[in-house]
Amino acid sequence: MADGMSSFWGPVTSTTECCEKNYAYSSYIAEFYNTLSNIPSILLALIGLVNALRQRFEKRFSVLHISNMILAIGSMLYHATLQRVQQQSDETPMVWEMLLYIYILYSPDWHYRSTMPTFLFLYGAAFAVVHSFVHFGIGFKVHYVILCLLCIPRMYKYYIYTNDASAKWLAKFYIATLFLGSLCWLGDCIFCKKISQWPVNPQGHAMWHVFMGFNSYFANTFLMFCRAEQRGWAPKIVHVMGLLPYVKIEKPKSQ
């Protein structure tokens, strides 16, 4: 939206803007709420990373939590500056993150272990290079949705084969936060002209960031539980101060 004050970063060069007045609170932050709303994602990913390292989960989960943090930091840079280069620091990690989810979901049953990570790595690297020169516009969104859809059948399989009620609730929270976050994102996009006339902006895109931070955390925790079951680590869901769930495991002494 139109600038509220002079810009430290110069004219907007990104191809997408959200329904928030630019530089309303600081000349250093273009979209104030859309920038700060990524902080919960970073904190939740950090909690997940500490748990994965402390209990010596497979490295794939540490990388996944780190990718969540990289995505959130890239999103902060993009919304703070509204520059084309920083937009790539938001969009490219979105694709990398989904490739990681595809690997974690499908790799346990993949017979040729080296082919999947090699292909996904090359795919992610090629996308980053091409995306640095070509902006796909709506094509990027379609591509991202396709990657998300590829994860659904496997997530559903894990859900129906999981008997633990607490783990199933994680999957339900994952769906709920995805649904609510998507509603906020769509509302911010579709009704921006009307929202900009309201006395108070509900900050739909910022709420999307918050919901998706919890969405990623619930997804990661659910996948960690399922993987621990596959490895025979006797996982159970416990809660930090009775609120935030995480996976606690008991590895056999031989491991």
Side-chain angles (χ1 to χ4, degrees):
M1 295 177 64
D3 294 351
M5 61 175 67
S6 60
S7 161
F8 174 82
W9 304 105
V12 172
T13 59
S14 63
T15 58
T16 304
E17 290 186 72
C18 300
C19 196
E20 180 179 357
K21 189 176 181 180
N22 296 348
Y23 301 102
Y25 300 97
S26 170
S27 61
Y28 297 97
I29 303 177
E31 295 177 344
F32 183 81
Y33 292 105
N34 288 343
T35 299
L36 296 187
S37 58
N38 285 286
I39 293 176
S41 298
I42 297 174
L43 296 177
L44 289 167
L46 181 60
I47 292 171
L49 176 62
V50 170
N51 184 44
L53 292 173
R54 183 173 60 87
Q55 299 194 82
R56 293 185 292 115
F57 271 89
E58 292 164 301
K59 291 180 180 179
R60 65 188 70 181
F61 291 106
S62 298
V63 175
L64 182 60
H65 291 299
I66 292 172
S67 78
N68 295 153
M69 285 190 277
I70 291 173
L71 174 56
I73 293 170
S75 181
M76 291 183 76
L77 292 173
Y78 162 47
H79 289 288
T81 64
L82 291 181
Q83 299 297 300
R84 176 71 182 94
V85 173
Q86 281 72 25
Q87 184 177 357
Q88 291 176 258
S89 71
D90 177 34
E91 293 179 348
T92 299
M94 288 172 66
V95 172
W96 289 349
E97 183 183 69
M98 293 314 303
L99 295 177
L100 273 170
Y101 278 117
I102 290 172
Y103 171 71
I104 289 172
L105 284 164
Y106 286 95
S107 62
D109 293 335
W110 196 260
H111 298 294
Y112 306 99
R113 291 190 175 183
S114 63
T115 56
M116 177 177 282
T118 301
F119 171 77
L120 293 177
F121 174 81
L122 293 175
Y123 186 95
F127 174 83
V129 172
V130 174
H131 192 45
S132 66
F133 295 101
V134 181
H135 183 73
F136 299 106
I138 189 64
F140 169 81
K141 295 180 177 64
V142 172
H143 175 237
Y144 182 73
V145 169
I146 290 173
L147 293 178
C148 293
L149 291 175
L150 289 174
C151 296
I152 291 177
R154 198 68 175 183
M155 285 289 284
Y156 180 69
K157 179 182 178 181
Y158 281 4
Y159 176 81
I160 62 176
Y161 279 96
T162 299
N163 296 318
D164 187 273
S166 297
K168 282 184 175 288
W169 271 110
L170 286 175
K172 292 174 183 177
F173 285 138
Y174 162 77
I175 295 297
T177 50
L178 178 61
F179 177 74
L180 293 172
S182 298
L183 284 181
C184 292
W185 182 81
L186 285 171
D188 190 76
C189 293
I190 297 172
F191 302 109
C192 182
K193 288 185 179 180
K194 291 185 178 180
I195 290 173
S196 61
Q197 298 173 0
W198 293 359
V200 177
N201 187 333
Q203 305 299 339
H205 196 86
M207 292 304 300
W208 152 262
H209 287 161
V210 174
F211 278 121
M212 293 312 294
F214 279 97
N215 176 265
S216 296
Y217 182 83
F218 291 138
N220 296 358
T221 306
F222 177 71
L223 292 175
M224 289 170 72
F225 180 93
C226 294
R227 183 57 176 165
E229 273 195 329
Q230 293 172 349
R231 299 296 301 271
W233 292 344
K236 60 181 179 180
I237 302 297
V238 294
H239 295 80
V240 178
M241 296 183 292
L243 296 174
L244 192 66
Y246 69 96
V247 181
K248 185 175 182 180
I249 59 175
E250 293 183 13
K251 290 185 178 181
K253 291 184 179 179
S254 59
Q255 299 186 37

